[in-house]
């Protein structure tokens, strides 16, 4: 049975406030890279404007098709005023092989990434972004969005499986309050196995051992560790 999921009211407001998309220009369709015959899949769909922001003006249908999938055609209707993003669950692939789902809208066809359907796959591929900056980084803040938008856009607009907001901490760029906000946002949006947020930060060092170094963790410690002055 096909099940359609839209962002929560809060997630929709985050997208509408921080990246209000205009007229629809393209459709993004993300499918699992590796699948097994007969297992239920989740397809991630987004209708975006010319800047890649989720369209708030799109009113109409998007038709998803794949001859080797069940069902072979799915029609999804979007309404003006809400971000045109959704997840489609319950799709299955009938037999092994390499295939691509396609979406028809705006008078054009758009293709998803390739999906390799194999019997009893030994491993999977999960896609993510290991280095997103938010306004908490204090780095080109005029180009950044909030930590909330980082996770909402990663999950719903980009269709990722995991995201790490690796914000700066070194040389006075972070303190306990900001660190706690980073951790709280990450934990709030962590929703495995559907979507994972990876605890992370970016530390810098001066001198001969300088440069930016990203730190990834399994949990958020009480405070970051960095040695900017010591290099």
């Amino acid at each position: 049975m096909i099940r359609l999921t839209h962002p929560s009211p809060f997630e929709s407001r985050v997208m509408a406030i921080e990246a209000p998309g205009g007229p629809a220009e393209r459709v993004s369709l993300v499918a699992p890279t590796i699948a097994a015959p007969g297992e239920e899949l989740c397809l991630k769909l987004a209708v975006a404007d010319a800047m890649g922001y989720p369209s708030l003006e799109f009113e109409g249908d998007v038709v998803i098709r794949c001859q080797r999938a069940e069902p072979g055609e799915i029609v999804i209707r979007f309404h003006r005023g809400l971000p045109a993003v959704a997840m489609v669950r319950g799709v299955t692939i009938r037999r092994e092989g390499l295939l691509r789902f396609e979406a028809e809208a705006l008078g054009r066809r758009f293709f998803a990434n390739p999906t390799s359907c194999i019997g009893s796959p030994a491993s999977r591929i999960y896609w993510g972004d290991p280095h997103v900056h938010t306004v908490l980084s204090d780095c080109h803040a005029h180009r950044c969005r909030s930590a909330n938008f980082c996770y909402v856009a990663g999950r719903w607009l980009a269709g990722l499986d995991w995201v790490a907001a690796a914000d700066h901490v070194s040389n006075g760029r972070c303190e306990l309050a900001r660190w706690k906000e980073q951790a709280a946002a990450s934990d709030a949006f962590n929703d495995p196995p559907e979507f994972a947020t990876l605890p992370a930060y970016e530390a810098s060092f001066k001198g001969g051992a300088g440069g930016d170094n990203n730190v990834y963790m399994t949990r958020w410690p009480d405070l970051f560790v960095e040695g900017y002055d010591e290099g």
Side-chain angles (χ1 to χ4, degrees):
M1 178 183 297
I2 295 300
R3 303 181 301 280
L4 192 63
T5 305
H6 292 282
S8 68
F10 173 74
E11 292 170 319
S12 294
R13 286 197 298 272
V14 169
M15 284 187 277
I17 291 170
E18 298 203 53
E25 291 286 341
R26 60 183 177 86
V27 175
S28 170
L29 182 61
V30 178
T33 301
I34 298 176
E39 73 175 359
E40 289 195 349
L41 308 180
C42 178
L43 305 179
K44 303 171 184 179
L45 176 68
V47 182
D49 68 4
M51 292 292 292
Y53 296 154
S55 176
L56 295 176
E57 300 182 17
F58 181 67
E59 178 90 26
D61 295 336
V62 176
V63 182
I64 299 176
R65 296 190 180 95
C66 181
Q67 292 183 350
R68 290 163 54 187
E70 181 64 40
E73 181 175 291
I74 305 167
V75 180
I76 302 170
R77 173 165 289 274
F78 291 102
H79 300 281
R80 188 186 308 271
L82 292 173
V85 297
M87 294 185 187
V88 185
R89 306 174 192 275
V91 181
T92 60
I93 301 174
R94 297 192 186 98
R95 60 184 185 277
E96 296 184 34
L98 189 65
L99 57 91
R100 299 182 79 170
F101 289 87
E102 68 175 65
E104 182 176 346
L106 308 172
R108 289 179 286 163
R109 292 192 302 164
F110 303 85
F111 292 91
N113 55 285
T115 295
S116 177
C117 184
I118 56 179
S120 302
S123 60
R124 306 284 179 148
I125 296 177
Y126 299 100
W127 296 95
D129 191 332
H131 194 173
V132 178
H133 274 326
T134 76
V135 293
L136 297 175
S137 265
D138 206 11
C139 176
H140 300 288
H142 63 290
R143 296 176 179 267
C144 295
R145 302 290 192 273
S146 72
N148 288 336
F149 183 76
C150 163
Y151 299 120
V152 170
R155 183 173 189 171
W156 290 98
L157 183 55
L160 299 176
D161 301 303
W162 59 271
V163 168
D167 281 314
H168 285 294
V169 300
S170 300
N171 199 22
R173 286 180 168 178
C174 192
E175 70 287 320
L176 179 59
R178 193 180 300 186
W179 177 254
K180 292 177 70 174
E181 183 171 351
Q182 293 173 358
S186 174
D187 288 344
F189 286 97
N190 191 39
D191 187 26
E194 297 288 336
F195 181 72
T197 63
L198 187 63
Y201 66 92
E202 181 175 2
S204 302
F205 305 92
K206 69 178 181 181
D212 294 332
N213 302 267
N214 281 15
V215 180
Y216 299 94
M217 305 161 286
T218 57
R219 64 176 179 82
W220 287 92
D222 292 335
L223 192 60
F224 56 88
V225 176
E226 59 93 16
Y228 177 80
D229 290 327
E230 293 78 20

